[in-house]
Amino acid sequence: MHPYPLKGSKGASLPPRPTLVFLIALFGLYVCYLSFNQIRMESKHVEENGAQEQDEHVCTRPYVPSEELPYVHFPKPKGYSRAECSCNPVRFFVIVSMQRSGSGWFETLLNSHPNISSNGEIFNRVDRRQNISSIVQTLDKLYDLDWLTSAAKNECTAAFGFKWMLNQGFMDHHDDILSYLNKKGVSVIFLFRKNTLRRLISVLANNYDRDAKQLNGTHKSHVHSEEEAEILAKFKPELDVSTLVSNIRDVEKYMGDCLDSFNTTRRMILYYEDIIRNRNVLEQNSFGCPNEVPIDYGLP
């Protein structure tokens, strides 16, 4: 027997020294990594809060008269960032009109401005106007500037809106729509046509051309040249004289009911004939809540 017998070790043996050093170093790196991430997240949170506070500080004091403050907005789209234009105030508008009343031409005039976006007839799709919920959802998306069309200038737009025809659900839910427009601070531009007889003839001509497709086998709701206008002018509609006066009266009443139902909105009332005769008519009109009455055409 060996003079100095070794006693068996109790429990598990310790790992070799190099392995132990490696594990300690790895644990230290892990602790440092967690600490670094926590510091970075706290710094980012502070920066975001500071930027948000700065934005709010700047954006709540736009250079506009105090009476205009309810009608300026600072949207934050979900689909993109307004970047350096995030503090530029945006005004919301809606063009309320009827078919064949010059609304397409008027919208083209607005969109010729680099900072105005009018996005067409968004409620020509029935699913967007099935009920007031779908209407509000559509309006919220548009006025959040998340409505992307060829007309949208997006980041630096100063006025954002669309065109809404009376027969596209506008009068079906007028109380709820009125409340929404006033709450949202939307300016309403009513664009009608004084000569309802000419409008009726234009409707008939447009319906005829939809089937006949006179312009090189295509249908165009709006002409863009004198030649196209001459082609469409060759159509001579046949009017039902027995119902003509009643139809005109119904249209005028419809226009009057619309103006009465939305007389508490911030609005401007324009007529196609006035704009044609005087291009400065927009400068001569201002938004307000006048008590206009429908024009009396002296019909028997």
Side-chain angles (χ1 to χ4, degrees):
M1 294 182 65
H2 196 278
Y4 303 101
L6 297 175
K7 296 183 179 179
S9 60
K10 297 181 180 179
S13 60
L14 294 174
R17 181 173 295 177
T19 303
L20 187 60
V21 172
F22 174 76
L23 292 176
I24 294 175
L26 186 63
F27 179 75
L29 289 174
Y30 179 70
V31 172
C32 291
Y33 172 76
L34 292 179
S35 301
F36 176 77
N37 274 352
Q38 184 175 0
I39 294 174
R40 186 176 62 178
M41 291 178 63
E42 291 178 354
S43 300
K44 183 178 180 180
H45 183 67
V46 171
E47 290 177 359
E48 289 179 350
N49 286 343
Q52 184 177 0
E53 290 177 0
Q54 183 178 3
D55 288 345
E56 291 177 353
H57 176 73
V58 175
C59 294
T60 53
R61 294 172 175 82
Y63 295 100
V64 293
S66 58
E67 63 270 15
E68 291 289 315
L69 289 177
Y71 308 107
V72 297
H73 312 273
F74 302 91
K76 296 181 180 180
K78 298 178 181 178
Y80 61 93
S81 172
R82 296 190 69 205
E84 70 274 8
C85 298
S86 60
C87 289
N88 287 8
V90 181
R91 287 171 169 80
F92 298 153
F93 68 90
V94 55
I95 305 168
V96 178
S97 186
M98 304 175 72
Q99 284 80 2
R100 319 309 299 174
S101 298
S103 60
W105 170 76
F106 180 74
E107 191 175 44
T108 301
L109 291 181
L110 293 182
N111 280 325
S112 65
H113 192 285
N115 295 113
I116 297 179
S117 299
S118 189
N119 297 270
E121 299 178 31
I122 67 173
F123 287 111
N124 58 351
R125 280 178 43 178
V126 178
D127 60 307
R128 294 174 181 165
R129 51 183 167 91
Q130 286 182 339
N131 48 53
I132 188 59
S133 297
S134 58
I135 290 176
V136 169
Q137 184 178 2
T138 301
L139 291 174
D140 283 342
K141 182 176 181 180
L142 182 130
Y143 288 129
D144 285 341
L145 268 61
D146 279 316
W147 198 272
L148 305 180
T149 66
S150 58
K153 279 81 175 183
N154 298 336
E155 290 86 351
C156 293
T157 188
F160 205 84
F162 68 102
K163 185 170 59 173
W164 201 342
M165 297 300 176
L166 292 188
N167 62 349
Q168 294 175 350
F170 186 76
M171 293 296 291
D172 297 338
H173 309 279
H174 56 83
D175 289 336
D176 293 318
I177 294 173
L178 173 65
S179 176
Y180 180 93
L181 296 178
N182 287 335
K183 181 179 179 180
K184 201 77 172 180
V186 179
S187 300
V188 184
I189 303 173
F190 290 101
L191 176 63
F192 294 128
R193 195 165 180 171
K194 291 181 178 179
N195 195 324
T196 52
L197 176 59
R198 285 184 176 272
R199 176 190 169 272
L200 177 60
I201 294 175
S202 180
V203 170
L204 294 175
N206 183 64
N207 293 338
Y208 171 79
D209 186 67
R210 184 180 289 111
D211 298 326
K213 297 181 175 58
Q214 302 177 90
L215 300 177
N216 298 324
T218 62
H219 168 64
K220 292 185 178 180
S221 295
H222 307 99
V223 296
H224 300 282
S225 66
E226 292 184 4
E227 292 77 14
E228 292 180 349
E230 290 177 358
I231 293 175
L232 292 184
K234 292 178 181 179
F235 169 66
K236 305 301 180 182
E238 295 182 2
L239 300 176
D240 186 355
V241 180
S242 62
T243 60
L244 181 59
V245 173
S246 61
N247 288 339
I248 293 177
R249 282 179 170 172
D250 289 342
V251 172
E252 292 176 0
K253 183 179 185 303
Y254 199 31
M255 292 163 51
D257 291 343
C258 173
L259 294 178
D260 289 340
S261 299
F262 290 86
N263 62 355
T264 60
T265 59
R266 185 174 189 260
R267 62 183 186 169
M268 175 188 295
I269 301 178
L270 300 174
Y271 292 96
Y272 172 71
E273 291 85 351
D274 294 339
I275 303 175
I276 291 294
R277 286 194 298 262
N278 181 9
R279 296 296 181 90
N280 296 322
V281 69
L282 293 178
E283 299 177 2
Q284 299 170 2
N285 283 268
S286 60
F287 285 103
C289 297
N291 294 318
E292 294 92 346
V293 296
I295 294 178
D296 182 7
Y297 295 93
L299 292 173

